[in-house]
Amino acid sequence: MNDPGPTELAGWNVDAQPFLKSILFGVAQPVWVVDHRGLIRFANPAAVAALGYDDVSELEGRPSHETIHYRYPDGSHFPAERCPMLLPHKTGETIHSEEDWFFRRDGTMFPVSYWSAPIDTPGGRGAVVAFTDIERQREAELAVREREIADARAAEARAAQRRAIEAADAARRQVTRDLHDGAQQRFVKVVIDLQLALQALGSDPPRARELLESAADQAKVGIDELRELAAGIHPTLLTTRGLCAAVESLADRLPIPVRLDIPQDRLPPAVEASVYFMISEALANVVKHAGATRAIVSVVASDGQLAVRVEDDGVGGAVEAPGHGLAGLADRVAALDGALTVRSEPAAGTTLEALIPLRPPSA
Ligand SMILES: Nc1ncnc2c1ncn2[C@@H]1O[C@H](COP(=O)(O)OP(=O)(O)OP(=O)(O)O)[C@@H](O)[C@H]1O
Ligand SMILES: [Mg+2]
């Protein structure tokens, strides 16, 4: 028998080439050879296993395209004439594909990358195909992508939490300032008036009476200021009667009509508070910026989530700016694992919508 040369299998008897056989049988890379008619003449154990067969004899002699490459991924027929993997045996060129798909014996499909190169076979030019199952590689890539997304979400949640803490600190400082400049000054004045009244009591009773009246007035104003401040921090109505009553009271004080569609049911306190402050900020924006004639507020609980929507018919053009109301709202909603969207085209009004998951009470 003649030496078959380095790229020619000796007849189809791989045993005749122990060296070649040991390489092809040992490598993890699946490899097969088709002859000049496109029939599989050899497949190494890695190829047999990857294609889901038990023995090479099940592949030998079968047309390669019709056996492993016969359909497009959408299930439609893939004609052999169009198969790029068979080009090497037709044209002599070498083909590489980064992404293709093969079918296993059981009909399941898997993604592959492959090289297909011409090879001399006893009957004429065939092709040798070496492929890699890229399903695992894809799974690994997907896992990496999912981990990156989860990391980014966690980082965003941490940032939102930090901003929420900063906003809470800023709110505390504001309350301190309000107390100092408001009620505290009133009560200082009350104390001074009372002391002066005490001194004037014996010598100048009408003056003492005047001072007492002034002290009583200042005390009343101070109490009103404290009440207002407390309402701004956490409205009493929200705690005692829930979201619907608290928003009704808020809407009553606004200069434009507000239609409310809010269920009476109580929600978890954290959700009630966040939704209340969202509606409060949104309505404050409507009054400050929108030039609207009306606003609509709706709260709908369904499928385990709460949809909160505030819309107006004003000038539009709302944008989130760091450190301001809308950005704070986005953080507040994100802290509840929700998402806030702002739709505000010029001259087309503004709609804020928050979707907030409602966890079962046990969670
Ligand atoms: N409903 C709205 N209609 C029109 N423009 C709006 C509306 N809401 C917000 N805007 C615009 O978007 C900007 C950002 O709103 P945001 O609530 O974040 O800040 P702000 O109201 O200006 O300040 P802050 O909320 O801190 O008092 C506003 O300055 C305003 O120009
Ligand atoms: Mg605002």
Side-chain angles (χ1 to χ4, degrees):
M1 185 182 248
N2 293 334
D3 184 343
T7 59
E8 187 177 319
L9 295 174
W12 291 110
N13 181 2
V14 180
D15 284 340
Q17 287 248 31
F19 177 62
L20 188 57
K21 177 190 168 184
S22 67
I23 291 175
L24 287 177
F25 273 58
V27 292
Q29 171 103 54
V31 177
W32 78 75
V33 176
V34 298
D35 67 10
H36 61 291
R37 288 167 301 170
L39 303 181
I40 296 172
R41 286 307 188 168
F42 167 77
N44 72 351
V48 173
L51 293 167
Y53 291 82
D54 296 323
D55 191 84
V56 66
S57 60
E58 295 167 294
L59 285 165
E60 275 169 351
R62 291 177 65 172
S64 75
H65 182 82
E66 283 75 8
T67 305
I68 53 104
H69 210 198
Y70 50 93
R71 273 194 273 138
Y72 288 108
D74 67 5
S76 58
H77 177 62
F78 183 4
E81 311 83 77
R82 298 223 198 113
C83 180
M85 214 167 58
L86 292 175
L87 276 178
H89 103 82
K90 289 180 194 152
T91 66
E93 64 194 297
T94 296
I95 295 290
H96 173 61
S97 170
E98 276 295 334
E99 197 171 330
D100 207 320
W101 63 94
F102 288 168
F103 287 88
R104 299 187 185 93
R105 179 170 62 177
D106 65 6
T108 54
M109 194 180 86
F110 63 104
V112 294
S113 65
Y114 68 78
W115 283 95
S116 180
I119 186 172
D120 290 335
T121 67
R125 188 167 55 213
V128 57
V129 176
F131 72 92
T132 305
D133 180 343
I134 56 175
E135 201 154 36
R136 288 235 181 80
Q137 186 184 326
R138 281 219 189 138
E139 279 167 11
E141 282 166 7
L142 198 69
V144 167
R145 246 198 322 276
E146 276 170 0
R147 203 175 49 236
E148 282 169 358
I149 291 171
D151 286 349
R153 281 211 185 109
E156 175 50 33
R158 278 195 300 275
Q161 211 168 17
R162 200 182 55 241
R163 288 193 298 264
I165 291 168
E166 285 165 4
D169 287 347
R172 260 197 299 277
R173 283 195 296 277
Q174 180 66 39
V175 169
T176 309
R177 249 193 324 272
D178 288 352
L179 277 172
H180 174 271
D181 300 346
Q184 191 176 326
Q185 302 308 317
R186 301 277 171 209
F187 287 111
V188 167
K189 181 85 171 45
V190 170
V191 171
I192 292 169
D193 283 350
L194 288 175
Q195 279 167 347
L196 291 176
L198 270 178
Q199 286 165 13
L201 211 52
S203 56
D204 188 355
R207 172 72 185 139
R209 186 186 172 83
E210 214 176 275
L211 287 165
L212 284 174
E213 278 171 2
S214 163
D217 288 348
Q218 293 291 327
K220 272 193 215 129
V221 175
I223 287 168
D224 285 348
E225 281 180 1
L226 282 179
R227 196 176 286 133
E228 223 168 83
L229 194 64
I233 298 167
H234 197 99
T236 321
L237 266 183
L238 187 61
T239 322
T240 54
R241 292 186 38 221
L243 189 63
C244 184
V247 175
E248 265 171 14
S249 147
L250 184 71
D252 281 349
R253 285 180 265 141
L254 296 184
I256 54 164
V258 182
R259 199 174 83 210
L260 300 181
D261 181 7
I262 303 176
Q264 298 283 343
D265 316 333
R266 298 302 302 258
L267 296 161
V271 175
E272 273 187 347
S274 284
V275 171
Y276 175 82
F277 286 113
M278 171 189 162
I279 294 173
S280 164
E281 167 61 18
L283 289 177
N285 278 351
V286 174
V287 173
K288 277 198 287 182
H289 310 297
T293 64
R294 60 176 181 82
I296 303 172
V297 177
S298 76
V299 176
V300 178
S302 72
D303 295 333
Q305 77 169 1
L306 200 67
V308 184
R309 180 191 259 261
V310 180
E311 50 182 299
D312 66 60
D313 63 352
V315 294
V319 279
E320 276 184 30
H324 286 277
L326 287 179
L329 283 190
D331 286 346
R332 210 178 249 284
V333 172
L336 295 171
D337 286 341
L340 178 77
T341 48
V342 179
R343 283 197 303 279
S344 189
E345 296 301 317
T350 296
T351 301
L352 296 196
E353 183 165 46
L355 295 177
I356 299 167
L358 288 173
R359 294 200 180 78
S362 59

